[in-house]
Amino acid sequence: MKLIAYPVAALLGLLGIVFVAGAQGVILRLVVGAILLLAAVALVWLAKMQPSRTTTTLVQKIDLSGDVNLQKLNCRQCGATLNRDAVSVHAGAVFVKCAYCGAAYQLEEEPQW
C-alpha cells in the first residue's frame, strides 16, 4: 500500500500547490487546491498508520515422560529409513511423511505395560 500511497500523495500535493498558487483571487481554485492538499496529507497519514508486518516464530518442545531410547525410524509402507526431515509436529501430534513412497501417517506412543 505504501508503494502506491506515497507517489499518489506526492501527485495530489503538487496539484494542490499548483491550484493554490494559481488561484489569483478565484475562490474555487483555492478550495480545490486545499482539498487536494488535505487528500495528500490524509494519504500519507493512512500509509503511516498501516501496521507493519512482523514475523512470528513458533517453537514447539516435546516433553517425553520416562526413559527414552533413540531408535531408527522406518516407514510403515516401504520400510525405508526416515530422517529428521520426515518428522513434523502439528497441533501437538507427531506426523511422519516418507520421502520415498509418499506415505503419511501419525505416530502414536505405545503403552509400555
Side-chain angles (χ1 to χ4, degrees):
M1 162 117 176
K2 291 181 181 181
L3 187 64
I4 296 171
Y6 289 139
V8 170
L11 180 66
L12 288 175
L14 283 173
L15 284 174
I17 291 171
V18 167
F19 270 87
V20 169
Q24 297 179 355
V26 179
I27 299 290
L28 183 60
R29 286 185 186 170
L30 189 61
V31 170
V32 169
I35 290 172
L36 287 172
L37 287 172
L38 287 174
V41 170
L43 262 176
V44 169
W45 181 75
L46 285 174
K48 292 258 185 202
M49 294 304 294
Q50 288 289 326
S52 60
R53 295 184 184 203
T54 58
T55 303
T56 303
T57 304
L58 178 65
V59 177
Q60 293 182 342
K61 295 184 180 183
I62 300 173
D63 186 26
L64 301 173
S65 60
D67 295 331
V68 178
N69 296 327
L70 184 62
Q71 297 178 357
K72 281 190 174 182
L73 191 59
N74 295 329
C75 177
R76 293 180 186 171
Q77 298 290 329
C78 67
T81 303
L82 300 172
N83 59 11
R84 65 181 3 222
D85 297 329
V87 180
S88 62
V89 178
H90 300 288
V94 180
F95 289 92
V96 175
K97 181 168 181 173
C98 180
Y100 299 102
C101 69
Y105 49 89
Q106 178 180 351
L107 284 182
E108 298 170 359
E109 185 179 355
E110 296 177 6
Q112 298 180 1
W113 313 357

